[in-house]
Amino acid sequence: MTSMVTDEQARQLAKSFNGRIALNEPMKKYTSFQIGGPADMLVQPRDLQSLSVVLRWAWNEGLPLFVLGNGTNLLVADEGIRGVVVRIGPGLDSVSFDGERVRAMAGVSMPALARACAERGLAGLEWAVGIPGSLGGAMAMNAGAYSHTVGDFTREVTTMLLDGSISVKSCEEMQFAQRSSRLSHGDLIACEAVLVLEPGDPESIRCQMSEYMEDRRIKQPLHLPSAGCVFQNPSGRGAGRYIDGAGLKGLRVGGAEISRVHANFIVNVGDATARDVLILMNVARRTVYEKFGVELVPEIRVVGG
Ligand SMILES: Cc1cc2nc3c(=O)[nH]c(=O)nc-3n(C[C@H](O)[C@H](O)[C@H](O)COP(=O)(O)OP(=O)(O)OC[C@H]3O[C@@H](n4cnc5c(N)ncnc54)[C@H](O)[C@@H]3O)c2cc1C
């Protein structure tokens, strides 16, 4: 696969960019599935100024751009990703408090954010402690659990357009919906958000978090690499129940397996490829449709190729 980014282009960007630049970087290092071929270029800006520099640079160079958070909801193709992958993570992860308002940068992880809020005696994000993504990824996916979603707590989001300009979006403009939002189209990057929580007792908040984590440890295969639930839950019944009902638990292709613990998880049991996972996803979709007449819709994002 020919790279779209040359060494000379990387040297030019490095002159005005504060952060890490890597060429031909294996994406399996950045995904919870531990799957994915190389990104032509992966950059990790350390501040918003550098984020805008790299966006404008990629725009001017005509390079495609993909925004990466913690890579916990992604299946990256074995061929990797052409163009530039911008990782919003360390350096773009500060959190500050003003009463019940929390201002957090998109690179903070959801468990870290939930714990910081608990320490301040702010309740509302307990459900987020077991979601390993970044706040930016959670906003793009409208991540949620236990009947809450991140959109329920969001007041406004500071976003950057692909030309590097800033735009502040209200909660309504963010169009939060089932596992999607205005960020889902890939033309807008979440930089920072204001969430509004409620006062609570830190000890009870921590207790609730422990209960949620214990529930996950029992019900989910947390000991193996995965990207969480593969399919959205159809109304009325969990996708895992359909897949289990179709007799597919434990089905293996290459290094990927439909989890024996939770049938809506595909786990990487050893050197799985994206192709292995895609085959299992297709088998699950086809078999569930044939048996129950239900169309399973992927929740994980498949990128690259
Ligand atoms: C063990 C496990 C359990 C999980 N449990 C849950 C759960 O209970 N509920 C749930 O909803 N999800 C769950 N997930 C899935 C995942 O953690 C969430 O979807 C999470 O919000 C993804 O965040 P991320 O930073 O990893 O995003 P990534 O996987 O890096 O990216 C996901 C999407 O968000 C976009 N994106 C990322 N950052 C930004 C940004 N700053 N601006 C704009 N777009 C951006 C990407 O382009 C991509 O389209 C689980 C995953 C695992 C591995």
Side-chain angles (χ1 to χ4, degrees), residues 56-304:
R56 275 187 273 119
W57 174 81
W59 177 272
N60 288 334
E61 299 288 319
L63 292 167
L65 187 131
F66 177 73
V67 191
L68 174 71
N70 282 355
T72 64
N73 201 55
L74 296 181
L75 179 64
V76 176
D78 300 316
E79 296 78 14
I81 303 179
R82 305 287 68 80
V84 183
V85 173
V86 180
R87 184 169 185 229
I88 311 288
L92 296 171
D93 57 356
S94 64
V95 180
S96 62
F97 296 91
D98 177 8
E100 289 151 28
R101 286 165 71 92
V102 186
R103 185 174 284 277
M105 292 192 80
V108 67
S109 81
M110 291 304 281
L113 178 60
R115 291 208 165 89
C117 293
E119 270 169 36
R120 288 272 170 158
L122 289 175
L125 290 187
E126 295 85 332
W127 53 273
V129 72
I131 298 186
S134 64
L135 175 61
M139 298 259 160
M141 297 303 305
N142 193 21
Y146 305 104
S147 307
H148 302 284
T149 66
V150 73
D152 301 341
F153 300 89
T154 303
R155 183 60 58 86
E156 64 179 41
V157 183
T158 304
T159 62
M160 207 178 269
L161 279 71
L162 293 183
D163 64 2
S165 61
I166 294 275
S167 148
V168 179
K169 303 274 179 225
S170 66
C171 180
E172 292 69 38
E173 288 172 313
M174 286 295 291
Q175 300 167 16
F176 289 113
Q178 195 194 356
R179 297 295 176 262
S180 75
S181 76
R182 173 63 186 82
L183 300 176
S184 302
H185 316 304
D187 58 346
L188 209 56
I189 296 166
C191 300
E192 192 174 86
V194 174
L195 310 182
V196 178
L197 304 182
E198 285 185 353
D201 167 46
E203 198 41 46
S204 338
I205 298 170
R206 274 194 286 269
C207 259
Q208 181 65 75
M209 285 179 172
S210 303
E211 276 176 32
Y212 285 148
M213 276 317 295
E214 188 51 26
D215 187 50
R216 281 179 189 266
R217 270 190 284 272
I218 294 167
K219 294 183 183 155
Q220 298 181 354
L222 299 183
H223 57 297
L224 286 168
S226 78
C229 287
V230 174
F231 298 104
Q232 295 182 19
N233 287 327
S235 54
R237 196 174 170 196
R241 295 220 170 162
Y242 286 109
I243 299 166
D244 191 8
L248 297 175
K249 256 188 179 174
L251 182 69
R252 196 181 278 205
V253 172
E257 183 179 286
I258 295 185
S259 169
R260 293 161 201 271
V261 179
H262 189 316
N264 198 17
F265 277 58
I266 291 179
V267 286
N268 181 351
V269 290
D271 294 328
T273 62
R275 188 172 172 275
D276 297 338
V277 175
L278 288 171
I279 293 172
L280 279 180
M281 285 173 69
N282 283 337
V283 171
R285 289 182 84 170
R286 199 182 55 236
T287 316
V288 165
Y289 186 74
E290 280 166 10
K291 201 151 183 194
F292 302 106
V294 169
E295 290 261 18
L296 292 179
V297 175
E299 179 162 316
I300 60 173
R301 302 258 162 103
V302 182
V303 289

